[in-house]
Amino acid sequence: MTARTHFNRFDILPFIQTEFIETQGRFSPDGRWVAYASNESGPYQIYVQSFPLSGGKWQVSTMGGAQPQWRRDGRELFYLAPDRKLMTVEVNGTESTFVAGIPKPLFEAHVNTIFPGIGGASYYSAAGDGQRFLVNTLAGDPTPSPLTVVMNWTAGLKR
């Protein structure tokens, strides 16, 4: 009897291929957009590009960023800024265009760095409602802080 091995065949093609580093890509919940970090403008910034590629690309962060994550409904994008603040940006996309609001800080995330490495794991995770977060904080931080769960943070924005 001969053993046979069957492999599924996948066509693997680069989504974006430039001389810069594009990393930490995340699909939007509807699969139409990809958020990623890139150093094409110097410091890493968060960009969103349509999927499949149609030529549209939008910079979301203004002062640098990494580790983008989408809210479950795709109407908000989170990322870590270089000053280790977790940022939020309201977003809206149609078939041909993408609109991002002004980035706003939510809270400071006590992480070692915002860049865990090319394709590395994120230091935070957003709950599906985008109002609760788990943050992997520094071990041995000289000023340790308790785990903080931020709930109903949008109520503070209306003041």
Side-chain angles (χ1 to χ4, degrees), residues 16-22 38-41 44:
I16 302 169
Q17 193 169 18
T18 70
E19 68 269 22
F20 306 106
I21 297 173
E22 286 90 13
S38 174
N39 68 346
E40 73 178 74
S41 64
Y44 280 89

PDB file of all heavy atoms in Angstrom, residues 16-22 38-41 44:
ATOM      1  N   ILE A  16       1.004  44.070  -1.769  1.00  0.00           N
ATOM      2  CA  ILE A  16       1.724  45.314  -2.038  1.00  0.00           C
ATOM      3  C   ILE A  16       3.199  44.957  -2.089  1.00  0.00           C
ATOM      4  O   ILE A  16       3.695  44.254  -1.215  1.00  0.00           O
ATOM      5  CB  ILE A  16       1.486  46.353  -0.930  1.00  0.00           C
ATOM      6  CG1 ILE A  16      -0.005  46.659  -0.786  1.00  0.00           C
ATOM      7  CG2 ILE A  16       2.266  47.629  -1.204  1.00  0.00           C
ATOM      8  CD1 ILE A  16      -0.331  47.469   0.438  1.00  0.00           C
ATOM      9  N   GLN A  17       3.879  45.440  -3.092  1.00  0.00           N
ATOM     10  CA  GLN A  17       5.296  45.127  -3.218  1.00  0.00           C
ATOM     11  C   GLN A  17       6.042  46.389  -3.639  1.00  0.00           C
ATOM     12  O   GLN A  17       5.994  46.790  -4.795  1.00  0.00           O
ATOM     13  CB  GLN A  17       5.493  44.006  -4.242  1.00  0.00           C
ATOM     14  CG  GLN A  17       6.862  43.404  -4.213  1.00  0.00           C
ATOM     15  CD  GLN A  17       6.925  42.144  -5.053  1.00  0.00           C
ATOM     16  OE1 GLN A  17       6.084  41.881  -5.895  1.00  0.00           O
ATOM     17  NE2 GLN A  17       7.940  41.347  -4.819  1.00  0.00           N
ATOM     18  N   THR A  18       6.706  47.021  -2.663  1.00  0.00           N
ATOM     19  CA  THR A  18       7.464  48.241  -2.918  1.00  0.00           C
ATOM     20  C   THR A  18       8.842  48.089  -2.294  1.00  0.00           C
ATOM     21  O   THR A  18       9.149  47.067  -1.680  1.00  0.00           O
ATOM     22  CB  THR A  18       6.761  49.475  -2.306  1.00  0.00           C
ATOM     23  OG1 THR A  18       6.870  49.391  -0.878  1.00  0.00           O
ATOM     24  CG2 THR A  18       5.298  49.571  -2.716  1.00  0.00           C
ATOM     25  N   GLU A  19       9.638  49.135  -2.390  1.00  0.00           N
ATOM     26  CA  GLU A  19      10.958  49.103  -1.745  1.00  0.00           C
ATOM     27  C   GLU A  19      10.866  49.408  -0.252  1.00  0.00           C
ATOM     28  O   GLU A  19      11.853  49.354   0.466  1.00  0.00           O
ATOM     29  CB  GLU A  19      11.932  50.075  -2.427  1.00  0.00           C
ATOM     30  CG  GLU A  19      11.592  51.534  -2.234  1.00  0.00           C
ATOM     31  CD  GLU A  19      10.694  52.124  -3.321  1.00  0.00           C
ATOM     32  OE1 GLU A  19       9.971  51.380  -4.012  1.00  0.00           O
ATOM     33  OE2 GLU A  19      10.721  53.353  -3.470  1.00  0.00           O
ATOM     34  N   PHE A  20       9.671  49.726   0.235  1.00  0.00           N
ATOM     35  CA  PHE A  20       9.455  50.047   1.642  1.00  0.00           C
ATOM     36  C   PHE A  20       8.998  48.812   2.400  1.00  0.00           C
ATOM     37  O   PHE A  20       8.761  47.761   1.805  1.00  0.00           O
ATOM     38  CB  PHE A  20       8.430  51.176   1.775  1.00  0.00           C
ATOM     39  CG  PHE A  20       8.799  52.385   0.979  1.00  0.00           C
ATOM     40  CD1 PHE A  20       8.128  52.693  -0.186  1.00  0.00           C
ATOM     41  CD2 PHE A  20       9.849  53.202   1.380  1.00  0.00           C
ATOM     42  CE1 PHE A  20       8.488  53.798  -0.938  1.00  0.00           C
ATOM     43  CE2 PHE A  20      10.213  54.310   0.641  1.00  0.00           C
ATOM     44  CZ  PHE A  20       9.533  54.610  -0.521  1.00  0.00           C
ATOM     45  N   ILE A  21       8.841  48.951   3.692  1.00  0.00           N
ATOM     46  CA  ILE A  21       8.353  47.844   4.512  1.00  0.00           C
ATOM     47  C   ILE A  21       6.875  48.059   4.773  1.00  0.00           C
ATOM     48  O   ILE A  21       6.483  49.077   5.346  1.00  0.00           O
ATOM     49  CB  ILE A  21       9.129  47.749   5.846  1.00  0.00           C
ATOM     50  CG1 ILE A  21      10.603  47.455   5.570  1.00  0.00           C
ATOM     51  CG2 ILE A  21       8.516  46.666   6.743  1.00  0.00           C
ATOM     52  CD1 ILE A  21      11.476  47.509   6.816  1.00  0.00           C
ATOM     53  N   GLU A  22       6.061  47.128   4.329  1.00  0.00           N
ATOM     54  CA  GLU A  22       4.632  47.116   4.626  1.00  0.00           C
ATOM     55  C   GLU A  22       4.398  45.898   5.508  1.00  0.00           C
ATOM     56  O   GLU A  22       4.776  44.788   5.147  1.00  0.00           O
ATOM     57  CB  GLU A  22       3.786  47.008   3.358  1.00  0.00           C
ATOM     58  CG  GLU A  22       3.733  48.283   2.548  1.00  0.00           C
ATOM     59  CD  GLU A  22       4.826  48.415   1.509  1.00  0.00           C
ATOM     60  OE1 GLU A  22       5.507  47.415   1.218  1.00  0.00           O
ATOM     61  OE2 GLU A  22       5.018  49.528   0.999  1.00  0.00           O
ATOM     62  N   SER A  38       3.345  51.114   7.228  1.00  0.00           N
ATOM     63  CA  SER A  38       4.378  51.242   6.200  1.00  0.00           C
ATOM     64  C   SER A  38       5.313  52.390   6.558  1.00  0.00           C
ATOM     65  O   SER A  38       4.887  53.381   7.140  1.00  0.00           O
ATOM     66  CB  SER A  38       3.751  51.517   4.835  1.00  0.00           C
ATOM     67  OG  SER A  38       4.763  51.783   3.865  1.00  0.00           O
ATOM     68  N   ASN A  39       6.586  52.223   6.164  1.00  0.00           N
ATOM     69  CA  ASN A  39       7.573  53.283   6.392  1.00  0.00           C
ATOM     70  C   ASN A  39       7.842  54.086   5.119  1.00  0.00           C
ATOM     71  O   ASN A  39       8.881  54.713   5.003  1.00  0.00           O
ATOM     72  CB  ASN A  39       8.868  52.699   6.956  1.00  0.00           C
ATOM     73  CG  ASN A  39       9.605  51.826   5.964  1.00  0.00           C
ATOM     74  OD1 ASN A  39       9.059  51.425   4.931  1.00  0.00           O
ATOM     75  ND2 ASN A  39      10.845  51.498   6.272  1.00  0.00           N
ATOM     76  N   GLU A  40       6.917  54.100   4.195  1.00  0.00           N
ATOM     77  CA  GLU A  40       7.154  54.781   2.920  1.00  0.00           C
ATOM     78  C   GLU A  40       7.341  56.285   3.057  1.00  0.00           C
ATOM     79  O   GLU A  40       7.980  56.907   2.231  1.00  0.00           O
ATOM     80  CB  GLU A  40       6.047  54.471   1.911  1.00  0.00           C
ATOM     81  CG  GLU A  40       4.734  55.127   2.183  1.00  0.00           C
ATOM     82  CD  GLU A  40       3.710  54.805   1.115  1.00  0.00           C
ATOM     83  OE1 GLU A  40       3.212  53.683   1.107  1.00  0.00           O
ATOM     84  OE2 GLU A  40       3.439  55.688   0.287  1.00  0.00           O
ATOM     85  N   SER A  41       6.794  56.895   4.112  1.00  0.00           N
ATOM     86  CA  SER A  41       6.958  58.340   4.287  1.00  0.00           C
ATOM     87  C   SER A  41       8.028  58.667   5.329  1.00  0.00           C
ATOM     88  O   SER A  41       8.140  59.804   5.755  1.00  0.00           O
ATOM     89  CB  SER A  41       5.624  58.967   4.704  1.00  0.00           C
ATOM     90  OG  SER A  41       5.231  58.475   5.962  1.00  0.00           O
ATOM     91  N   TYR A  44       6.934  54.990  10.455  1.00  0.00           N
ATOM     92  CA  TYR A  44       5.796  54.127  10.152  1.00  0.00           C
ATOM     93  C   TYR A  44       4.492  54.898  10.334  1.00  0.00           C
ATOM     94  O   TYR A  44       4.327  55.643  11.291  1.00  0.00           O
ATOM     95  CB  TYR A  44       5.791  52.898  11.056  1.00  0.00           C
ATOM     96  CG  TYR A  44       6.745  51.840  10.592  1.00  0.00           C
ATOM     97  CD1 TYR A  44       8.062  51.847  11.023  1.00  0.00           C
ATOM     98  CD2 TYR A  44       6.337  50.847   9.716  1.00  0.00           C
ATOM     99  CE1 TYR A  44       8.954  50.887  10.602  1.00  0.00           C
ATOM    100  CE2 TYR A  44       7.219  49.871   9.278  1.00  0.00           C
ATOM    101  CZ  TYR A  44       8.525  49.901   9.724  1.00  0.00           C
ATOM    102  OH  TYR A  44       9.407  48.946   9.300  1.00  0.00           O
TER     103      TYR A  44
END
